[in-house]
Amino acid sequence: MRFETDISPLVGSQNSISAIMRRVIWALIPGTALAVVILGWGVLTNVLLAVVAAVFFEAVMLFLRQRPVGFYLGDYSAVVAGWILGLCLPTLAPWWIPIVASGFAIVLGKQLFGGLGYNPFNPAMVGYVVMLVSFPKQMTFWAAPWGTDGIRLNFTESLRWTFFEELPSHLQFDAVTMATPLDAVRTRLSLGDESMAYIEQQSIFGLLAGQGSEWVALAFLAGGLWMIYKKIIRWHIPVAMLGALAIIATVFWLIDADRYGSPLFHLLAGGTMLGAFFVATDPISSSTTERGRLIFGAGVGILAYLIRSFGSYVDGVAFAVLLMNMAVPLIDYYTQPKVFGHKSQPKTASNKTSKGQ
Amino acid sequence: MIKLYDFHGGIHLPGKKSLSNNTPIQQLACSKRLVLPLQMHIGEPARPEVGVGEHVGKGQRLARPDGFISAAIHAPTSGTVVAIESLPIPHPSGLSAPCIVIEADGEDRWEKPFEPWDDYQSHTPLEIRQRLRDAGVVGLGGAVFPTAAKLAVPPDRPIKTLILNGAECEPYITCDDRVMRERADQIIEGGRILLHASGAERCLIGVEDNKPEAIASLQAAIKAAEDTRFEVVAVPTRYPAGGERQLILTLTGIEIPRNRHATDYGLLCQNVATAASVYRAVVLGEPVISRVVTVTGEGINRPGNFEVRIGTPISDVIAAAGGYKSGVDRLLMGGPMMGFALADDTVPVVKATNCLLALHPQDREPEQPPMPCIRCGQCAEACPVNLLPQQLYWYSRAKDLDRTREYHIFDCIECGVCAAVCPAHIPLVQYFRFAKTEIWASERERLKANKARERHKFHQERIAREKAEREAMLAKKRAALAAKQTNQSQTGSDKSAIKDEIAAAMARVKARKAAAQTKKASEPAQVGSPTYTESEKP
């Protein structure tokens, strides 16, 4: 009897990339839902617009690159990139912001490098940073979160603003926007005469960090912990990033608590939690060795703090991730694990040749 | 209990062992025609010492070991040698190789090549090694390395510990399990012979803890033998716990690099079934003419273990196990992780055949088209050698062979764990095999180029040397001429003397040319070895 032949191993993986990406989406849902409630309907429109645009651009690029469109769309990586990008964008951004951002993320950040698996930079962060640099004004349009003294838009008002830039006649634009906690700290500290303790009495500040947004951050933390439990991501990058950020924040805070935010504030403000669990852990653009991931995570944490505290941008997580993405090949090369048998070469080792057998 | 050490990575696989390990080993009837490849072991192929048409007895040597790393081959039954020719052998690429073909005469009459050594202790280790070599004993775990060659260690590196490998970590395979259950006494006796032959002080038998019956049976045999040097160690069930280096690490904490041998560390590792065949070769005087083969898989009607004569067509073994179920589309030799698919079941069982595995498409993970690598690192976590398969993949794919070496591609043991966990379904092991063969090929090219370069350099040197020699000769002549001239000018008769001199020189040149011409005509010029005529010699 004759048979077909095959090459071992014949045991294949039940796991798949689309299963991994679907789980990332599951982990994003609690934080996203809470963000919609607390930060406003703009989060929902941002995420939906960014996801739809990301999938659209992905499909167009796959078609142009003559790749099987359905096969690659099924990996859900474009959905994840769009979703994370949507969460980063300001809640009162006009409709074209998430679409253009997704375009840059998918076309420039991902497909032009060769698509899934070949992008050296985190696509969502590429899209975000391009918008931040190109449209600095629109990228500050944050609505007043729940629990502050700002005015909040309802669903239809929010939609009208997003698509037509129309506010209810009795409202001024300034009345519905509010500086983010990080922004508030930066501007007020730059004035020079207000201390952190004073600044934190504003309504934008809550119990731990930003009013409301601190709970969103905790929801992302929970989603991230679930992903670690499910082995979708490894602990190294989030722990190293949050640990390094906490340490450097503590050092400056101990030096001058009036001019530097507390470590808890830094951990829960801005994009820290989303970045630590959903952005910096992107396996494609981050380090792939265990020690490398610790270095990568710590680098992101420290750079994010330095940019936040001393740079000219409000939050530094996106820049920090992109900067560390650049260092990944170097980090990976120098953090290779010790291969079996290379740890304890006996002194009598005579055969040191690296020749193939 | 000894302390156990942990190796990096590894995975839990569905064992599927109960398909075949619940029934005793069955004796398979002798086939009519047996095909014995001359190379069933690692090393040099054996050299046939029988002729076509010759009648041979069961156990008679058919081919002797040729070289230090080689093993003898014996007749599995009595019969006639009908052919010595190239025939298909079990091989991943379906290759053919020289084989001895025996037509059984049905009498199955022993002609034992050796006397039984009941008192093996009165024989020196060297004699025992010679016996194992003559009896064709090779590692039956799958690597088929000649046991005698493994035992030959330099005297300054004595063996301290013998490790018998009964881990049997691949799914489906149960031949060692059954041998341990049914022939534990032979394994222990074989172990004692190996202890004697190697001078080792103790013997550890590593068995995966999913084989409690085998462990109990071995312990009973040790008790019966009253030998305190033996210890059975249950090792955690995790593929590839039975890899030689993984098992050694688990039992001793020693990591053996790929370019060293276990014997460099005072360790000798043998498969349990090999130990049993050592016993049979030494004490009973029986060469290796059969082995236990697991015939299993969801595609086999009556899976089980069979004592099969080497050379038996695989189709006969399958028939004894009740044949295939319908819809079988793969037949593997070995397990699903490291075995290879056979194109044809007419090839013979060889000494390496530990398992025949027949599968339906639904018994395997459905083959999925590979996606790009997302560097998730699950392969690196599962790699028992602690490699970075994701990086190796990247560089193998880019044919950046230098980088694959820097990432230690030659430490890869091709266990298949990385491919088995890859969420992108990338056939990683195939990429690594590809990179290895590319490196070997380029290495050969490099050696060739080096040789050519050396040859060229030598050629250039020779030409330069000849030129220098010629010039030196000319200079000498010129000097002699000048000296003569001054002499002659002193005596006064200059012009006619010079004329004479020129005429004489021209005559000499003419004569030399003529001589060279005849020389050339009489013998064709030899390339590379310059020939001088008598007059040309400096």
Side-chain angles (χ1 to χ4, degrees):
Chain A
M1 196 167 157
R2 292 194 66 81
F3 299 93
E4 286 175 61
T5 53
D6 228 335
I7 299 174
S8 63
L10 269 84
V11 177
S13 172
Q14 290 141 317
N15 205 351
S16 70
I17 292 177
S18 74
I20 292 176
M21 295 294 173
R22 280 199 304 270
R23 286 192 168 162
V24 175
I25 293 171
W26 283 116
L28 278 168
I29 284 176
T32 309
L34 209 58
V36 173
V37 172
I38 288 172
L39 303 180
W41 293 105
V43 174
L44 189 65
T45 43
N46 277 347
V47 168
L48 286 176
L49 284 171
V51 166
V52 169
V55 172
F56 170 77
F57 285 117
E58 177 103 335
V60 169
M61 286 305 287
L62 287 170
F63 176 77
L64 291 176
R65 292 179 58 227
Q66 298 173 2
R67 297 294 190 278
V69 175
F71 177 68
Y72 280 109
L73 283 185
D75 64 33
Y76 292 97
S77 60
V79 177
V80 170
W83 195 308
I84 292 170
L85 181 55
L87 289 172
C88 300
L89 297 172
T91 44
L92 292 177
W95 61 273
W96 50 271
I97 287 271
I99 292 173
V100 175
S102 271
F104 276 108
I106 297 297
V107 178
L108 193 72
K110 184 177 174 189
Q111 289 292 340
L112 286 186
F113 284 102
L116 180 72
Y118 294 92
N119 47 299
F121 299 105
N122 186 306
M125 291 304 105
V126 170
Y128 174 72
V129 162
V130 166
M131 302 314 282
L132 204 57
V133 175
S134 313
F135 306 100
K137 192 178 113 210
Q138 284 85 348
M139 291 299 280
T140 59
F141 288 178
W142 286 92
W146 166 84
T148 59
D149 50 15
I151 295 164
R152 307 191 71 224
L153 297 176
N154 66 27
F155 183 62
T156 45
E157 287 167 350
S158 171
L159 277 185
R160 280 174 66 83
W161 168 255
T162 302
F163 287 98
F164 308 108
E165 295 191 40
E166 289 172 4
L167 283 176
S169 53
H170 62 281
L171 285 178
Q172 289 294 310
F173 182 62
D174 284 349
V176 295
T177 59
M178 189 172 264
T180 62
L182 278 173
D183 206 1
V185 168
R186 158 182 296 277
T187 22
R188 294 195 167 239
L189 281 179
S190 66
L191 298 176
D193 52 353
E194 292 176 14
S195 73
M196 274 303 288
Y198 176 77
I199 295 168
E200 281 177 5
Q201 284 166 9
Q202 284 195 299
S203 74
I204 187 75
F205 289 92
L207 203 60
L208 306 167
Q211 171 67 31
S213 61
E214 60 203 13
W215 303 110
V216 177
L218 288 173
F220 284 130
L221 168 68
L225 293 176
W226 179 78
M227 287 202 295
I228 290 176
Y229 169 72
K230 284 284 178 191
K231 295 197 171 169
I232 300 298
I233 57 169
R234 303 294 175 267
W235 59 266
H236 306 77
I237 289 175
V239 166
M241 176 179 158
L242 297 178
L245 182 66
I247 289 170
I248 189 169
T250 308
V251 169
F252 281 98
W253 184 58
L254 288 176
I255 292 172
D256 189 352
D258 276 347
R259 295 203 48 82
Y260 297 102
S262 73
L264 198 62
F265 171 75
H266 276 288
L267 287 178
L268 293 174
T272 308
M273 282 298 165
L274 184 69
F277 289 96
F278 293 90
V279 177
T281 54
D282 166 34
I284 297 161
S285 55
S286 68
S287 177
T288 192
T289 66
E290 286 189 3
R291 277 188 300 151
R293 284 171 180 159
L294 292 175
I295 295 170
F296 178 87
V300 173
I302 289 167
L303 285 174
Y305 183 85
L306 294 178
I307 295 169
R308 261 181 199 181
S309 305
F310 308 105
S312 49
Y313 282 93
V314 173
D315 198 356
V317 174
F319 290 104
V321 167
L322 292 178
L323 285 170
M324 289 311 290
N325 284 163
M326 282 186 222
V328 160
L330 191 73
I331 296 173
D332 281 350
Y333 185 77
Y334 285 106
T335 55
Q336 294 178 46
K338 282 266 183 265
V339 172
F340 189 98
H342 290 244
K343 286 169 204 161
S344 50
Q345 286 276 11
K347 279 168 198 153
T348 50
S350 53
N351 190 0
K352 276 183 185 153
T353 168
S354 64
K355 275 180 189 165
Q357 301 298 354
Chain B
M1 259 329 256
I2 64 162
K3 179 184 183 315
L4 290 184
Y5 298 82
D6 202 18
F7 67 89
H8 181 268
I11 49 172
H12 294 279
L13 291 166
K16 315 246 180 129
K17 305 237 180 203
S18 57
L19 274 174
S20 57
N21 68 359
N22 292 320
T23 48
I25 300 167
Q26 301 161 57
Q27 293 291 329
L28 192 74
C30 184
S31 293
K32 189 81 193 105
R33 200 176 117 103
L34 300 168
V35 178
L36 297 130
L38 290 173
Q39 187 164 27
M40 291 192 271
H41 46 261
I42 288 184
E44 295 297 314
R47 193 181 283 257
E49 49 182 11
V50 289
V52 175
E54 203 172 311
H55 189 271
V56 293
K58 180 180 180 181
Q60 186 181 330
R61 195 165 75 178
L62 301 176
R64 65 183 147 80
D66 189 15
F68 178 63
I69 301 179
S70 186
I73 291 165
H74 302 79
T77 186
S78 58
T80 315
V81 177
V82 292
I84 300 176
E85 60 185 0
S86 199
L87 290 169
I89 55 164
H91 185 277
S93 308
L95 292 186
S96 294
C99 299
I100 298 176
V101 185
I102 290 180
E103 195 104 13
D105 60 10
E107 291 175 24
D108 207 24
R109 188 176 32 77
W110 268 104
E111 191 170 303
K112 282 203 180 171
F114 325 110
E115 54 173 314
W117 286 346
D118 288 325
D119 55 338
Y120 65 85
Q121 260 137 346
S122 64
H123 295 273
T124 63
L126 188 65
E127 284 174 318
I128 288 177
R129 239 159 61 201
Q130 191 58 44
R131 163 63 61 90
L132 297 179
R133 181 174 155 86
D134 289 340
V137 178
V138 295
L140 296 180
V144 283
F145 190 85
T147 304
K150 225 177 186 180
L151 271 169
V153 290
D156 59 322
R157 299 245 185 92
I159 300 289
K160 290 202 181 67
T161 305
L162 169 67
I163 290 172
L164 292 184
N165 187 343
E168 203 169 51
C169 57
E170 268 221 52
Y172 290 103
I173 309 178
T174 59
C175 55
D176 288 348
D177 186 8
R178 285 312 311 187
V179 170
M180 287 188 282
R181 291 196 208 185
E182 298 175 41
R183 300 172 187 173
D185 50 341
Q186 294 187 10
I187 293 170
I188 302 302
E189 272 312 302
R192 293 173 71 169
I193 296 167
L194 286 169
L195 284 175
H196 169 64
S198 65
E201 295 146 10
R202 61 169 185 162
C203 173
L204 300 174
I205 309 179
V207 185
E208 270 193 349
D209 55 15
N210 61 353
K211 295 185 253 302
E213 299 91 345
I215 293 169
S217 165
L218 286 168
Q219 276 164 341
I222 291 168
K223 214 168 183 188
E226 290 177 350
D227 198 328
T228 52
R229 295 173 297 175
F230 283 81
E231 185 176 350
V232 183
V233 186
V235 299
T237 300
R238 182 163 47 118
Y239 180 84
E244 181 176 289
R245 275 148 219 247
Q246 279 65 41
L247 184 66
I248 287 173
L249 171 62
T250 307
L251 295 178
T252 66
I254 297 172
E255 278 189 17
I256 297 165
R258 79 168 164 87
N259 50 10
R260 313 291 310 277
H261 297 293
T263 47
D264 298 340
Y265 295 79
L267 301 165
L268 177 70
C269 193
Q270 292 287 352
N271 172 269
V272 283
T274 313
S277 71
V278 165
Y279 162 79
R280 279 152 86 145
V282 174
V283 176
L284 307 180
E286 286 178 18
V288 178
I289 55 169
S290 67
R291 69 157 296 148
V292 180
V293 179
T294 305
V295 187
T296 186
E298 287 86 349
I300 292 287
N301 275 318
R302 290 195 303 278
N305 283 282
F306 297 85
E307 176 92 40
V308 182
R309 276 166 227 255
I310 308 299
T312 306
I314 282 171
S315 51
D316 287 3
V317 189
I318 302 283
Y324 304 107
K325 288 183 184 166
S326 66
V328 167
D329 72 333
R330 291 282 190 286
L331 177 65
L332 269 69
M333 183 173 131
M337 294 300 286
M338 292 184 80
F340 56 87
L342 296 169
D344 194 340
D345 63 3
T346 55
V347 294
V349 165
V350 292
K351 287 177 182 174
T353 311
N354 51 358
C355 180
L356 297 169
L357 176 58
L359 297 174
H360 301 115
Q362 66 266 28
D363 307 328
R364 310 186 291 270
E365 295 299 332
E367 210 170 299
Q368 297 182 50
M371 298 278 291
C373 171
I374 58 164
R375 293 160 44 94
C376 65
Q378 293 192 21
C379 47
E381 275 164 42
C383 178
V385 193
N386 214 3
L387 295 168
L388 293 172
Q390 70 275 46
Q391 301 287 75
L392 282 172
Y393 162 72
W394 184 268
Y395 294 120
S396 300
R397 202 179 147 91
K399 278 202 174 186
D400 191 345
L401 299 176
D402 290 340
R403 269 290 156 96
T404 64
R405 277 181 160 193
E406 285 171 26
Y407 280 90
H408 307 287
I409 187 136
F410 283 107
D411 285 272
C412 171
I413 58 171
E414 299 180 17
C415 64
V417 157
C418 50
V421 298
C422 179
H425 312 288
I426 299 168
L428 290 161
V429 184
Q430 293 179 47
Y431 277 99
F432 304 155
R433 287 185 188 134
F434 163 77
K436 284 180 185 175
T437 44
E438 285 289 298
I439 292 172
W440 285 325
S442 72
E443 196 80 358
R444 275 195 297 275
E445 280 300 306
R446 204 173 53 83
L447 286 178
K448 247 193 235 165
N450 276 353
K451 235 178 219 158
R453 200 176 304 120
E454 260 167 38
R455 224 180 287 132
H456 179 70
K457 211 173 123 197
F458 182 77
H459 177 73
Q460 299 285 75
E461 270 174 8
R462 183 168 58 81
I463 287 173
R465 194 186 65 225
E466 280 175 22
K467 201 176 161 195
E469 279 167 353
R470 210 174 308 127
E471 244 145 47
M473 194 173 75
L474 281 175
K476 215 161 115 192
K477 270 190 181 160
R478 235 178 265 125
L481 204 65
K484 228 179 195 178
Q485 223 165 23
T486 47
N487 269 350
Q488 283 194 351
S489 65
Q490 274 172 357
T491 54
S493 62
D494 45 350
K495 272 198 175 165
S496 65
I498 289 166
K499 260 185 187 166
D500 286 351
E501 191 71 38
I502 291 168
M506 276 167 79
R508 271 206 307 277
V509 168
K510 228 177 191 175
R512 200 190 300 150
K513 267 189 182 162
Q517 216 103 53
T518 48
K519 181 114 187 161
K520 233 180 209 170
S522 63
E523 62 175 84
Q526 278 176 303
V527 181
S529 57
T531 49
Y532 295 98
T533 58
E534 203 50 42
S535 58
E536 272 176 333
K537 262 189 184 164

